[in-house]
Amino acid sequence: MRSALTLKVIARCSTTKARVGILTLPHGPVDTPVFMPVGTQGTLKGLTTKQLEELGCQIMLNNTYHLGLKPGQELIEELGGSHKFQNWNRNLLTDSGGFQMVSLLKLAKITEEGVEFQSPHDGSTMLLTPEHSMSLQNSIGADIIMQLDDVVSSLTTGPRVEEAMYRSIRWLDRCINAHKKPESQNLFAIIQGGLNMDLRTKCIEEMVKRDTPGYAIGGLSGGEEKDIFWRIVNFCTDKLPKNKPIYCMGVGYAEDLVVCSALGVDMYDCVFPTRTARFGNALTPKGSLNLKSTKFAQDFEPIEKGCNCLTCKTYTRAYIHMHATRETVGCHLITIHNVSYQLRLMNDIRKAIINDEFPSFVQKFFKELFGGKDKYPIWAVNALKSVNIELLS
Amino acid sequence: MSPLFNLLKTSEKSLRLGRLTLIKNQEQKVLDTPNLLAYTSRGCVPHLTPDNLSSIPLIGAINVTLEHFIDVQPPPSTQFPYGIHKFLNFEEYLVFIDVRDPGNLNLMSNNTDKHVSVYTAHGVRQVTSDSYIKYMNIYKPDIFVSLVDNITDEAPSLKRIKRSVDRTLRWLDDAIYHVKEGAQVFGVLTGHKNQEERIRSAQETAKRNVAGFVLNGKCLGSTSRECVDILKPSINHLPPNKPRLVYGLGTPEDILLGVSEGIDLFDTSYVLKMTNAGNAFVFSLDIKNDLDSFNRQQQIISLWDINYQNDARPLLAGCQCYSCKNHTRAYVHHLLNTHEMLATVLLMSHNLFHYTKFFKDIRESINQDMFSLKVEQFFRVYSDGEKEQKNLSSIILN
């Protein structure tokens, strides 16, 4: 199908499957691998779009389900789409809305027609179909839009997984047919198939035939064993076409980003860095700091030495301790730092791949984050071993 | 080095145009008055990260409230070796510290000769004069306010009022005696509603080496007019060459009233209240044409109002603040409606920007001998109800 993006791979790791690309979208270039912060309701948790630009953010997420409720499809269309609405001139990605229905609404029911759910407003039964999801996402106008897929928990087994996979393929076809703006919005397919490699293979075969501009690995990050998670990711990156971006949905922990990049993933999103900030947690290469703790009351160091974000250049941990979870400014400052941390991590990953030093970067990263080798998560050790990095040697 | 307060102009009865100049470490900070001291909560201007704060160029002074800091004594921040300006990242600003929160002067008595009671996030604490001065000598603000024995009774005895004046003067003497070079002390005028005691407090405070005066009318009088009337005996006995700060006057009418009575400095807790309520300032002292002045206008708009849901205009047409240059009313309405924190960031950016502009317009109107005219227009355009309008404007203009 028609595509409104180009992916230019500019470097490949000689050891792992990691790669660096320039993904050019309608609102400018995106350096991959990329972490995309989540601005659910058309705003990234207290940050201005100017601050996001200054942090170097090239693409963020909005959630279709939330924007569809407020301000609603009609208004967002009237106001010129989501870019204009929030004054964000860089790239946006929207999800299909289906995941929120299944995760937020208890009474969601999935039929061939779509996802049935009870309206949070008046309790009436509503239906999100692939066509409706496309219509909403066309109104919002993000640079990348996602197909409606049949989401099952990654812990589900049996025929339901197969049914969901086949239905996701059928829904992809309906999405392709209903998509009105392929010249300015890139529709990504979502690979389903649970933890079953045969189902994943079948799904990839069918979806690749549809030739969508990019592919997402779906149905993960739902509580499955990490040792199974990485195998699915690894399997999918092996099978998916090399000339298109691969997006692993819902991934955002630092070690996951490093491992999945080694496995060949290009794009990630997660609410974690911004959500944890609002609970007073700051991310650093040595792990998370809970700045609410009184042990920071007289700590006059920045959150992270050497970090060049506004927060670290300006304030001490003691200052942020006074504000964390008490003043909105405390949230803003930690959010700025955490987004900065995530984007810098991705930048470091890219730099290491370009310099073909990625394996030693990975070694250093794990050592700093976990301290001793005895503390390395075994799944990460296994995953990296599969792409020729021996963490424990 | 003493702060220099120059009266640049006095006219139309009590109107004053002044300039406060502080020189510290060879750096000069200037604050033209009438002006505002930006209100802070726990040492930050609420909702604004430093980059957003610096997008409001007319802010020159910050009011830091000690009671936000002292649930533990000594406050951990007194261990920070480089002073309060650096700790709070207010090095560009004139930093002014008071013990109580001007936006939240909870009734609280239980002061003794030794201490005042303050209201922290973790309950009531006592601050002694000694410890207060010790903290100030560590923090090194540009200006701090000496302790005050506030009276919270509705109808205190004369004995209580006298004790309040005496204690406050004694604490002022302590502060002036013990303060190290670098900080200046403002004295607080008390005397409750007793005219003689208010005069005594003013005269005695004025005899001392203070850099300025604080008048707290918040707990006195039910209306701003009553409050100012109660403070008047104090104001009338102050020397003209030192700045006067009043807490609790926040609305545009209040500010105009205070300016007309010779007040130089105001706090901005009102701006925070309006912001948190989802309101944007749209009033102006600069009323362009007669047509405007015949149509009564809104001073503020509530962005919660559903009528703004598709309003693609900025909060205020022509406003040069960050919010108005980048965002629409529809977006701010959406942010409020979805309980997103960016709502108060954008509203605070606008409201504080607008408030500083209002003060600038006031200064210009005094400079151009246009203040009375502007105030008259202002009341005609904005005031609710004929009676209130008549009342307020006649008092200002008489």
Side-chain angles (χ1 to χ4, degrees), chain A residues 41-42 45 51 70 75 78 86-87 298 314 319 323 326-328, chain B residues 41-42 44 47 49 51 79 89 310 326-327 331 334 337 340:
Chain A
Q41 317 208 68
K45 300 302 167 197
Q51 286 173 329
K70 292 176 185 179
L75 273 173
E78 180 184 342
Q86 64 197 302
N87 190 32
Q298 291 190 32
T314 316
Y319 177 88
H323 296 97
R326 295 195 184 114
E327 291 289 332
T328 59
Chain B
S41 181
R42 295 171 207 273
C44 66
H47 310 307
T49 49
D51 50 340
Q79 301 297 311
N89 188 44
N310 60 348
N326 291 285
H327 293 288
Y331 186 56
H334 165 75
N337 207 19
E340 284 283 353

PDB file of all heavy atoms in Angstrom, chain A residues 41-42 45 51 70 75 78 86-87 298 314 319 323 326-328, chain B residues 41-42 44 47 49 51 79 89 310 326-327 331 334 337 340:
ATOM      1  N   GLN A  41      -3.489  12.696  26.222  1.00  0.00           N
ATOM      2  CA  GLN A  41      -4.650  13.532  25.909  1.00  0.00           C
ATOM      3  C   GLN A  41      -4.270  14.775  25.104  1.00  0.00           C
ATOM      4  O   GLN A  41      -4.875  15.824  25.247  1.00  0.00           O
ATOM      5  CB  GLN A  41      -5.362  13.943  27.191  1.00  0.00           C
ATOM      6  CG  GLN A  41      -5.481  12.775  28.166  1.00  0.00           C
ATOM      7  CD  GLN A  41      -6.664  12.876  29.088  1.00  0.00           C
ATOM      8  OE1 GLN A  41      -7.805  12.772  28.654  1.00  0.00           O
ATOM      9  NE2 GLN A  41      -6.416  13.075  30.369  1.00  0.00           N
ATOM     10  N   GLY A  42      -3.210  14.652  24.293  1.00  0.00           N
ATOM     11  CA  GLY A  42      -2.794  15.803  23.493  1.00  0.00           C
ATOM     12  C   GLY A  42      -1.895  16.732  24.265  1.00  0.00           C
ATOM     13  O   GLY A  42      -1.813  17.926  23.973  1.00  0.00           O
ATOM     14  N   LYS A  45       2.055  15.519  29.810  1.00  0.00           N
ATOM     15  CA  LYS A  45       2.119  15.636  31.268  1.00  0.00           C
ATOM     16  C   LYS A  45       2.829  16.889  31.788  1.00  0.00           C
ATOM     17  O   LYS A  45       3.871  16.812  32.444  1.00  0.00           O
ATOM     18  CB  LYS A  45       2.769  14.378  31.838  1.00  0.00           C
ATOM     19  CG  LYS A  45       1.983  13.115  31.501  1.00  0.00           C
ATOM     20  CD  LYS A  45       0.553  13.188  32.015  1.00  0.00           C
ATOM     21  CE  LYS A  45      -0.351  12.105  31.443  1.00  0.00           C
ATOM     22  NZ  LYS A  45      -1.775  12.427  31.615  1.00  0.00           N
ATOM     23  N   GLN A  51       9.311  22.902  25.410  1.00  0.00           N
ATOM     24  CA  GLN A  51      10.228  22.111  26.236  1.00  0.00           C
ATOM     25  C   GLN A  51      10.533  20.766  25.576  1.00  0.00           C
ATOM     26  O   GLN A  51      11.668  20.303  25.575  1.00  0.00           O
ATOM     27  CB  GLN A  51       9.634  21.890  27.636  1.00  0.00           C
ATOM     28  CG  GLN A  51       9.685  23.152  28.489  1.00  0.00           C
ATOM     29  CD  GLN A  51       8.945  23.025  29.813  1.00  0.00           C
ATOM     30  OE1 GLN A  51       7.955  22.300  29.929  1.00  0.00           O
ATOM     31  NE2 GLN A  51       9.403  23.743  30.827  1.00  0.00           N
ATOM     32  N   LYS A  70     -12.569  13.159  24.528  1.00  0.00           N
ATOM     33  CA  LYS A  70     -12.356  14.581  24.764  1.00  0.00           C
ATOM     34  C   LYS A  70     -11.133  15.022  23.986  1.00  0.00           C
ATOM     35  O   LYS A  70     -10.074  14.421  24.195  1.00  0.00           O
ATOM     36  CB  LYS A  70     -12.089  14.864  26.263  1.00  0.00           C
ATOM     37  CG  LYS A  70     -13.268  14.631  27.174  1.00  0.00           C
ATOM     38  CD  LYS A  70     -12.806  14.862  28.611  1.00  0.00           C
ATOM     39  CE  LYS A  70     -13.928  14.528  29.602  1.00  0.00           C
ATOM     40  NZ  LYS A  70     -13.499  14.716  30.988  1.00  0.00           N
ATOM     41  N   LEU A  75     -14.762  18.016  17.203  1.00  0.00           N
ATOM     42  CA  LEU A  75     -13.995  19.196  17.616  1.00  0.00           C
ATOM     43  C   LEU A  75     -12.563  19.134  17.125  1.00  0.00           C
ATOM     44  O   LEU A  75     -12.008  20.129  16.659  1.00  0.00           O
ATOM     45  CB  LEU A  75     -14.013  19.331  19.140  1.00  0.00           C
ATOM     46  CG  LEU A  75     -15.198  20.102  19.708  1.00  0.00           C
ATOM     47  CD1 LEU A  75     -15.197  20.019  21.218  1.00  0.00           C
ATOM     48  CD2 LEU A  75     -15.145  21.557  19.251  1.00  0.00           C
ATOM     49  N   GLU A  78     -12.556  20.040  13.610  1.00  0.00           N
ATOM     50  CA  GLU A  78     -12.840  21.466  13.452  1.00  0.00           C
ATOM     51  C   GLU A  78     -11.610  22.313  13.810  1.00  0.00           C
ATOM     52  O   GLU A  78     -11.340  23.348  13.203  1.00  0.00           O
ATOM     53  CB  GLU A  78     -14.029  21.846  14.358  1.00  0.00           C
ATOM     54  CG  GLU A  78     -14.423  23.318  14.263  1.00  0.00           C
ATOM     55  CD  GLU A  78     -15.536  23.692  15.255  1.00  0.00           C
ATOM     56  OE1 GLU A  78     -16.226  22.770  15.749  1.00  0.00           O
ATOM     57  OE2 GLU A  78     -15.673  24.893  15.532  1.00  0.00           O
ATOM     58  N   GLN A  86      -2.576  20.969  19.636  1.00  0.00           N
ATOM     59  CA  GLN A  86      -1.629  21.097  20.750  1.00  0.00           C
ATOM     60  C   GLN A  86      -0.378  21.893  20.363  1.00  0.00           C
ATOM     61  O   GLN A  86       0.560  21.985  21.153  1.00  0.00           O
ATOM     62  CB  GLN A  86      -1.247  19.724  21.277  1.00  0.00           C
ATOM     63  CG  GLN A  86      -0.506  18.831  20.295  1.00  0.00           C
ATOM     64  CD  GLN A  86      -0.503  17.375  20.711  1.00  0.00           C
ATOM     65  OE1 GLN A  86      -0.038  17.039  21.774  1.00  0.00           O
ATOM     66  NE2 GLN A  86      -1.044  16.513  19.857  1.00  0.00           N
ATOM     67  N   ASN A  87      -0.369  22.462  19.163  1.00  0.00           N
ATOM     68  CA  ASN A  87       0.756  23.247  18.674  1.00  0.00           C
ATOM     69  C   ASN A  87       2.056  22.435  18.708  1.00  0.00           C
ATOM     70  O   ASN A  87       3.060  22.853  19.273  1.00  0.00           O
ATOM     71  CB  ASN A  87       0.915  24.540  19.478  1.00  0.00           C
ATOM     72  CG  ASN A  87       1.908  25.488  18.838  1.00  0.00           C
ATOM     73  OD1 ASN A  87       2.041  25.513  17.620  1.00  0.00           O
ATOM     74  ND2 ASN A  87       2.624  26.246  19.654  1.00  0.00           N
ATOM     75  N   GLN A 298      18.974  16.716  52.188  1.00  0.00           N
ATOM     76  CA  GLN A 298      20.184  17.545  52.231  1.00  0.00           C
ATOM     77  C   GLN A 298      21.178  17.125  51.163  1.00  0.00           C
ATOM     78  O   GLN A 298      22.380  17.295  51.307  1.00  0.00           O
ATOM     79  CB  GLN A 298      20.849  17.442  53.599  1.00  0.00           C
ATOM     80  CG  GLN A 298      20.026  18.110  54.672  1.00  0.00           C
ATOM     81  CD  GLN A 298      20.769  18.229  55.980  1.00  0.00           C
ATOM     82  OE1 GLN A 298      21.978  18.368  56.015  1.00  0.00           O
ATOM     83  NE2 GLN A 298      20.018  18.185  57.070  1.00  0.00           N
ATOM     84  N   THR A 314      19.905  23.038  36.814  1.00  0.00           N
ATOM     85  CA  THR A 314      19.375  24.118  37.638  1.00  0.00           C
ATOM     86  C   THR A 314      19.221  23.758  39.108  1.00  0.00           C
ATOM     87  O   THR A 314      19.461  24.592  39.977  1.00  0.00           O
ATOM     88  CB  THR A 314      17.985  24.534  37.101  1.00  0.00           C
ATOM     89  OG1 THR A 314      18.036  24.619  35.689  1.00  0.00           O
ATOM     90  CG2 THR A 314      17.566  25.871  37.677  1.00  0.00           C
ATOM     91  N   TYR A 319      16.276  20.283  46.510  1.00  0.00           N
ATOM     92  CA  TYR A 319      15.222  21.190  46.057  1.00  0.00           C
ATOM     93  C   TYR A 319      14.044  20.381  45.512  1.00  0.00           C
ATOM     94  O   TYR A 319      12.889  20.631  45.846  1.00  0.00           O
ATOM     95  CB  TYR A 319      15.767  22.117  44.966  1.00  0.00           C
ATOM     96  CG  TYR A 319      14.738  23.042  44.373  1.00  0.00           C
ATOM     97  CD1 TYR A 319      14.479  24.295  44.934  1.00  0.00           C
ATOM     98  CD2 TYR A 319      13.992  22.668  43.252  1.00  0.00           C
ATOM     99  CE1 TYR A 319      13.518  25.139  44.399  1.00  0.00           C
ATOM    100  CE2 TYR A 319      13.036  23.504  42.709  1.00  0.00           C
ATOM    101  CZ  TYR A 319      12.805  24.738  43.280  1.00  0.00           C
ATOM    102  OH  TYR A 319      11.841  25.564  42.750  1.00  0.00           O
ATOM    103  N   HIS A 323       9.629  19.416  46.477  1.00  0.00           N
ATOM    104  CA  HIS A 323       8.487  19.585  45.575  1.00  0.00           C
ATOM    105  C   HIS A 323       7.880  18.281  45.074  1.00  0.00           C
ATOM    106  O   HIS A 323       6.734  18.271  44.645  1.00  0.00           O
ATOM    107  CB  HIS A 323       8.913  20.418  44.360  1.00  0.00           C
ATOM    108  CG  HIS A 323       9.314  21.805  44.731  1.00  0.00           C
ATOM    109  ND1 HIS A 323      10.615  22.172  44.922  1.00  0.00           N
ATOM    110  CD2 HIS A 323       8.580  22.893  45.002  1.00  0.00           C
ATOM    111  CE1 HIS A 323      10.663  23.437  45.270  1.00  0.00           C
ATOM    112  NE2 HIS A 323       9.449  23.901  45.339  1.00  0.00           N
ATOM    113  N   ARG A 326       4.345  17.109  45.532  1.00  0.00           N
ATOM    114  CA  ARG A 326       3.602  18.136  46.268  1.00  0.00           C
ATOM    115  C   ARG A 326       3.265  19.341  45.399  1.00  0.00           C
ATOM    116  O   ARG A 326       2.223  19.960  45.563  1.00  0.00           O
ATOM    117  CB  ARG A 326       4.421  18.611  47.475  1.00  0.00           C
ATOM    118  CG  ARG A 326       4.638  17.546  48.521  1.00  0.00           C
ATOM    119  CD  ARG A 326       5.126  18.206  49.793  1.00  0.00           C
ATOM    120  NE  ARG A 326       5.439  17.236  50.801  1.00  0.00           N
ATOM    121  CZ  ARG A 326       6.687  17.031  51.261  1.00  0.00           C
ATOM    122  NH1 ARG A 326       7.683  17.749  50.796  1.00  0.00           N
ATOM    123  NH2 ARG A 326       6.899  16.135  52.192  1.00  0.00           N
ATOM    124  N   GLU A 327       4.179  19.696  44.521  1.00  0.00           N
ATOM    125  CA  GLU A 327       3.962  20.841  43.647  1.00  0.00           C
ATOM    126  C   GLU A 327       4.005  20.331  42.214  1.00  0.00           C
ATOM    127  O   GLU A 327       4.796  19.442  41.897  1.00  0.00           O
ATOM    128  CB  GLU A 327       5.094  21.872  43.821  1.00  0.00           C
ATOM    129  CG  GLU A 327       5.098  22.595  45.155  1.00  0.00           C
ATOM    130  CD  GLU A 327       3.946  23.567  45.282  1.00  0.00           C
ATOM    131  OE1 GLU A 327       3.478  24.081  44.249  1.00  0.00           O
ATOM    132  OE2 GLU A 327       3.509  23.796  46.416  1.00  0.00           O
ATOM    133  N   THR A 328       3.179  20.938  41.341  1.00  0.00           N
ATOM    134  CA  THR A 328       3.238  20.521  39.946  1.00  0.00           C
ATOM    135  C   THR A 328       4.649  20.739  39.390  1.00  0.00           C
ATOM    136  O   THR A 328       5.115  19.964  38.557  1.00  0.00           O
ATOM    137  CB  THR A 328       2.225  21.290  39.070  1.00  0.00           C
ATOM    138  OG1 THR A 328       2.505  22.685  39.157  1.00  0.00           O
ATOM    139  CG2 THR A 328       0.804  21.025  39.521  1.00  0.00           C
TER     140      THR A 328
ATOM    141  N   SER B  41       5.354  28.959  46.274  1.00  0.00           N
ATOM    142  CA  SER B  41       4.917  27.892  47.144  1.00  0.00           C
ATOM    143  C   SER B  41       6.102  26.946  47.291  1.00  0.00           C
ATOM    144  O   SER B  41       6.630  26.458  46.283  1.00  0.00           O
ATOM    145  CB  SER B  41       3.726  27.191  46.490  1.00  0.00           C
ATOM    146  OG  SER B  41       3.263  26.166  47.310  1.00  0.00           O
ATOM    147  N   ARG B  42       6.566  26.725  48.513  1.00  0.00           N
ATOM    148  CA  ARG B  42       7.777  25.934  48.761  1.00  0.00           C
ATOM    149  C   ARG B  42       8.947  26.392  47.900  1.00  0.00           C
ATOM    150  O   ARG B  42       9.747  25.591  47.408  1.00  0.00           O
ATOM    151  CB  ARG B  42       7.570  24.457  48.449  1.00  0.00           C
ATOM    152  CG  ARG B  42       6.571  23.787  49.326  1.00  0.00           C
ATOM    153  CD  ARG B  42       6.311  22.403  48.762  1.00  0.00           C
ATOM    154  NE  ARG B  42       4.989  21.953  49.116  1.00  0.00           N
ATOM    155  CZ  ARG B  42       4.700  21.329  50.238  1.00  0.00           C
ATOM    156  NH1 ARG B  42       5.620  21.068  51.115  1.00  0.00           N
ATOM    157  NH2 ARG B  42       3.468  20.960  50.498  1.00  0.00           N
ATOM    158  N   CYS B  44       8.947  27.751  44.888  1.00  0.00           N
ATOM    159  CA  CYS B  44       8.855  27.839  43.422  1.00  0.00           C
ATOM    160  C   CYS B  44       7.626  28.673  43.084  1.00  0.00           C
ATOM    161  O   CYS B  44       6.656  28.672  43.823  1.00  0.00           O
ATOM    162  CB  CYS B  44       8.760  26.454  42.766  1.00  0.00           C
ATOM    163  SG  CYS B  44       7.263  25.542  43.133  1.00  0.00           S
ATOM    164  N   HIS B  47       3.564  26.142  39.377  1.00  0.00           N
ATOM    165  CA  HIS B  47       3.340  25.647  38.006  1.00  0.00           C
ATOM    166  C   HIS B  47       4.442  26.007  37.009  1.00  0.00           C
ATOM    167  O   HIS B  47       4.458  25.470  35.910  1.00  0.00           O
ATOM    168  CB  HIS B  47       1.989  26.119  37.436  1.00  0.00           C
ATOM    169  CG  HIS B  47       0.826  25.867  38.358  1.00  0.00           C
ATOM    170  ND1 HIS B  47       0.575  24.620  38.886  1.00  0.00           N
ATOM    171  CD2 HIS B  47      -0.122  26.686  38.870  1.00  0.00           C
ATOM    172  CE1 HIS B  47      -0.492  24.698  39.675  1.00  0.00           C
ATOM    173  NE2 HIS B  47      -0.930  25.935  39.680  1.00  0.00           N
ATOM    174  N   THR B  49       8.201  26.087  35.676  1.00  0.00           N
ATOM    175  CA  THR B  49       9.615  25.716  35.684  1.00  0.00           C
ATOM    176  C   THR B  49      10.412  26.977  35.305  1.00  0.00           C
ATOM    177  O   THR B  49       9.848  27.924  34.750  1.00  0.00           O
ATOM    178  CB  THR B  49       9.876  24.577  34.677  1.00  0.00           C
ATOM    179  OG1 THR B  49       9.275  24.919  33.439  1.00  0.00           O
ATOM    180  CG2 THR B  49       9.279  23.265  35.183  1.00  0.00           C
ATOM    181  N   ASP B  51      12.408  27.969  33.017  1.00  0.00           N
ATOM    182  CA  ASP B  51      12.350  28.493  31.642  1.00  0.00           C
ATOM    183  C   ASP B  51      11.021  29.196  31.392  1.00  0.00           C
ATOM    184  O   ASP B  51      10.970  30.243  30.740  1.00  0.00           O
ATOM    185  CB  ASP B  51      12.581  27.364  30.618  1.00  0.00           C
ATOM    186  CG  ASP B  51      11.706  26.147  30.882  1.00  0.00           C
ATOM    187  OD1 ASP B  51      11.218  25.983  32.022  1.00  0.00           O
ATOM    188  OD2 ASP B  51      11.496  25.343  29.960  1.00  0.00           O
ATOM    189  N   GLN B  79      21.676  23.990  55.118  1.00  0.00           N
ATOM    190  CA  GLN B  79      22.974  23.341  54.933  1.00  0.00           C
ATOM    191  C   GLN B  79      23.576  23.655  53.563  1.00  0.00           C
ATOM    192  O   GLN B  79      24.745  23.381  53.313  1.00  0.00           O
ATOM    193  CB  GLN B  79      22.839  21.812  55.058  1.00  0.00           C
ATOM    194  CG  GLN B  79      22.290  21.339  56.383  1.00  0.00           C
ATOM    195  CD  GLN B  79      23.200  21.708  57.534  1.00  0.00           C
ATOM    196  OE1 GLN B  79      24.396  21.471  57.476  1.00  0.00           O
ATOM    197  NE2 GLN B  79      22.641  22.328  58.563  1.00  0.00           N
ATOM    198  N   ASN B  89      17.266  28.828  42.555  1.00  0.00           N
ATOM    199  CA  ASN B  89      17.480  29.306  41.193  1.00  0.00           C
ATOM    200  C   ASN B  89      16.785  30.644  40.931  1.00  0.00           C
ATOM    201  O   ASN B  89      16.117  30.843  39.926  1.00  0.00           O
ATOM    202  CB  ASN B  89      17.017  28.264  40.174  1.00  0.00           C
ATOM    203  CG  ASN B  89      17.396  28.634  38.756  1.00  0.00           C
ATOM    204  OD1 ASN B  89      18.528  29.062  38.511  1.00  0.00           O
ATOM    205  ND2 ASN B  89      16.470  28.496  37.823  1.00  0.00           N
ATOM    206  N   ASN B 310     -14.489  25.265  21.245  1.00  0.00           N
ATOM    207  CA  ASN B 310     -14.023  25.349  19.846  1.00  0.00           C
ATOM    208  C   ASN B 310     -13.529  26.751  19.515  1.00  0.00           C
ATOM    209  O   ASN B 310     -13.531  27.172  18.368  1.00  0.00           O
ATOM    210  CB  ASN B 310     -15.140  24.935  18.884  1.00  0.00           C
ATOM    211  CG  ASN B 310     -16.352  25.830  19.020  1.00  0.00           C
ATOM    212  OD1 ASN B 310     -16.451  26.611  19.959  1.00  0.00           O
ATOM    213  ND2 ASN B 310     -17.276  25.725  18.076  1.00  0.00           N
ATOM    214  N   ASN B 326       1.088  30.780  21.452  1.00  0.00           N
ATOM    215  CA  ASN B 326       1.178  29.385  20.998  1.00  0.00           C
ATOM    216  C   ASN B 326      -0.090  28.555  21.121  1.00  0.00           C
ATOM    217  O   ASN B 326      -0.171  27.497  20.505  1.00  0.00           O
ATOM    218  CB  ASN B 326       2.299  28.664  21.764  1.00  0.00           C
ATOM    219  CG  ASN B 326       3.662  29.178  21.387  1.00  0.00           C
ATOM    220  OD1 ASN B 326       4.170  28.871  20.318  1.00  0.00           O
ATOM    221  ND2 ASN B 326       4.239  30.007  22.243  1.00  0.00           N
ATOM    222  N   HIS B 327      -1.037  29.001  21.921  1.00  0.00           N
ATOM    223  CA  HIS B 327      -2.170  28.116  22.188  1.00  0.00           C
ATOM    224  C   HIS B 327      -3.520  28.840  22.145  1.00  0.00           C
ATOM    225  O   HIS B 327      -3.590  30.051  22.242  1.00  0.00           O
ATOM    226  CB  HIS B 327      -1.984  27.418  23.537  1.00  0.00           C
ATOM    227  CG  HIS B 327      -0.833  26.463  23.534  1.00  0.00           C
ATOM    228  ND1 HIS B 327      -0.867  25.270  22.858  1.00  0.00           N
ATOM    229  CD2 HIS B 327       0.399  26.542  24.095  1.00  0.00           C
ATOM    230  CE1 HIS B 327       0.289  24.632  23.011  1.00  0.00           C
ATOM    231  NE2 HIS B 327       1.084  25.392  23.752  1.00  0.00           N
ATOM    232  N   TYR B 331      -7.849  24.740  23.410  1.00  0.00           N
ATOM    233  CA  TYR B 331      -6.864  23.796  23.959  1.00  0.00           C
ATOM    234  C   TYR B 331      -6.808  23.903  25.480  1.00  0.00           C
ATOM    235  O   TYR B 331      -6.792  22.878  26.172  1.00  0.00           O
ATOM    236  CB  TYR B 331      -5.492  24.073  23.336  1.00  0.00           C
ATOM    237  CG  TYR B 331      -4.425  23.076  23.724  1.00  0.00           C
ATOM    238  CD1 TYR B 331      -4.598  21.708  23.512  1.00  0.00           C
ATOM    239  CD2 TYR B 331      -3.221  23.504  24.299  1.00  0.00           C
ATOM    240  CE1 TYR B 331      -3.611  20.797  23.858  1.00  0.00           C
ATOM    241  CE2 TYR B 331      -2.235  22.595  24.642  1.00  0.00           C
ATOM    242  CZ  TYR B 331      -2.431  21.241  24.422  1.00  0.00           C
ATOM    243  OH  TYR B 331      -1.454  20.336  24.771  1.00  0.00           O
ATOM    244  N   HIS B 334      -9.730  22.225  26.922  1.00  0.00           N
ATOM    245  CA  HIS B 334      -9.527  20.774  26.859  1.00  0.00           C
ATOM    246  C   HIS B 334      -8.604  20.303  27.985  1.00  0.00           C
ATOM    247  O   HIS B 334      -8.869  19.283  28.641  1.00  0.00           O
ATOM    248  CB  HIS B 334      -8.932  20.412  25.485  1.00  0.00           C
ATOM    249  CG  HIS B 334      -8.354  19.029  25.390  1.00  0.00           C
ATOM    250  ND1 HIS B 334      -9.135  17.898  25.300  1.00  0.00           N
ATOM    251  CD2 HIS B 334      -7.063  18.599  25.402  1.00  0.00           C
ATOM    252  CE1 HIS B 334      -8.351  16.821  25.241  1.00  0.00           C
ATOM    253  NE2 HIS B 334      -7.089  17.212  25.307  1.00  0.00           N
ATOM    254  N   ASN B 337     -10.456  20.354  31.192  1.00  0.00           N
ATOM    255  CA  ASN B 337     -11.494  19.346  31.128  1.00  0.00           C
ATOM    256  C   ASN B 337     -10.942  17.928  31.324  1.00  0.00           C
ATOM    257  O   ASN B 337     -11.640  17.030  31.769  1.00  0.00           O
ATOM    258  CB  ASN B 337     -12.151  19.472  29.745  1.00  0.00           C
ATOM    259  CG  ASN B 337     -13.564  19.002  29.740  1.00  0.00           C
ATOM    260  OD1 ASN B 337     -14.189  18.898  30.797  1.00  0.00           O
ATOM    261  ND2 ASN B 337     -14.085  18.694  28.568  1.00  0.00           N
ATOM    262  N   GLU B 340      -5.395  17.976  32.950  1.00  0.00           N
ATOM    263  CA  GLU B 340      -3.980  17.913  32.575  1.00  0.00           C
ATOM    264  C   GLU B 340      -3.222  19.106  33.180  1.00  0.00           C
ATOM    265  O   GLU B 340      -3.705  20.241  33.148  1.00  0.00           O
ATOM    266  CB  GLU B 340      -3.851  17.918  31.044  1.00  0.00           C
ATOM    267  CG  GLU B 340      -4.213  16.577  30.412  1.00  0.00           C
ATOM    268  CD  GLU B 340      -3.105  15.525  30.575  1.00  0.00           C
ATOM    269  OE1 GLU B 340      -2.010  15.873  31.050  1.00  0.00           O
ATOM    270  OE2 GLU B 340      -3.366  14.357  30.219  1.00  0.00           O
TER     271      GLU B 340
END
